[in-house]
Amino acid sequence: ASLKLAGSSAPPLELTHAMEDLRAGQTLLQRYEEGKKTLRPEVAEAGIMVLDSLIARLKNVRSNSKKTVDDRLQEIKHLDKQIETVAPYYNKNKKMHDAHVKERDQLVKDVAELTVVLDNSVKASHDLLYTANRAAGLIRTNMASSLVDSNRGFTASGAALAGRETNALKRTGGVKAANTRAAPTLPRKFG
C-alpha cells in the first residue's frame, strides 16, 4: 500500500526511496534466509551489515516522515483555528451579500417591467399625438376651405350660400356694400 499525503498526487521523494529500500531489504532478507545454511560467515556478516544500514535508513525515513506528518497536522490545526475565527464573519457577510443580490435582481426585474410600460406609453402617446395632429390639420383645411367658400359666396358644390342667392354686385350699394363684412378669424394651429 502506498502512502499519499493530502493535496499531493504522487508520494514524496523520501517515501519513494524508503519503499524501494524496503523492497530491496526484503529481497536481501529472503536471500539471506535461503542461503543462510550455505553462506560463509564473512558473507553472512556483510549481509547483516547491509541489513543494519538498511534498517537505520528506514528508521531515519520513518522519523522524518513522522516529523513531516506532525508538522502538517500542526498547520491543519492552525488553519482550522483561523477558519473558526473567520467563519462567523464570512457567514454573516455571505447572508448579507445573498440578500443584496436577491434585492438587486428584483430591482432589475422591476426596472425592466417599468421600461416596457414606459415604452408602451410613449408609443401610445406618439400615436395619439400623430392622430391629433392629422385631425387638427384636416379641421384647419376644412375650416379654411369653408371660409374661402363663404367669402366667395358659394359652397364647395357650387351652390350659393344662404343670404347670397342674389348677385352681390347687383345689390343696392354696389360691390363695396357686399364686401364690408369683416373676414372671420382662423383657428389657432395645433402642435
Side-chain angles (χ1 to χ4, degrees), residues 72-88:
R72 297 299 184 265
L73 289 173
Q74 284 299 106
E75 288 179 23
I76 290 170
K77 286 180 184 176
H78 179 69
L79 290 174
D80 285 341
K81 285 181 184 177
Q82 287 181 343
I83 289 171
E84 288 174 9
T85 304
V86 173

Side-chain angles (χ1 to χ4, degrees), residues 95-107:
K95 287 178 186 174
M96 287 174 51
H97 176 263
D98 291 344
H100 289 165
V101 166
K102 184 177 178 182
E103 183 180 359
R104 179 192 60 97
D105 291 344
Q106 183 61 40
L107 289 173

Side-chain angles (χ1 to χ4, degrees), residues 111-146:
V111 166
E113 290 173 0
L114 289 174
T115 303
V116 168
V117 169
L118 286 175
D119 288 345
N120 291 341
S121 297
V122 167
K123 187 176 185 305
S125 63
H126 178 268
D127 293 344
L128 285 173
L129 182 62
Y130 177 76
T131 304
N133 281 338
R134 297 255 345 228
L138 287 174
I139 290 170
R140 279 195 303 272
T141 303
N142 289 339
M143 287 181 73
S145 67
S146 68

Side-chain angles (χ1 to χ4, degrees), residues 28 35 43 48 59 66 72 79 81 87 112 144 149 151 160 169:
L28 186 58
V43 175
I48 290 173
K59 284 182 180 179
K66 186 174 182 335
R72 297 299 184 265
L79 290 174
K81 285 181 184 177
D149 289 343
N151 283 338
L169 296 176

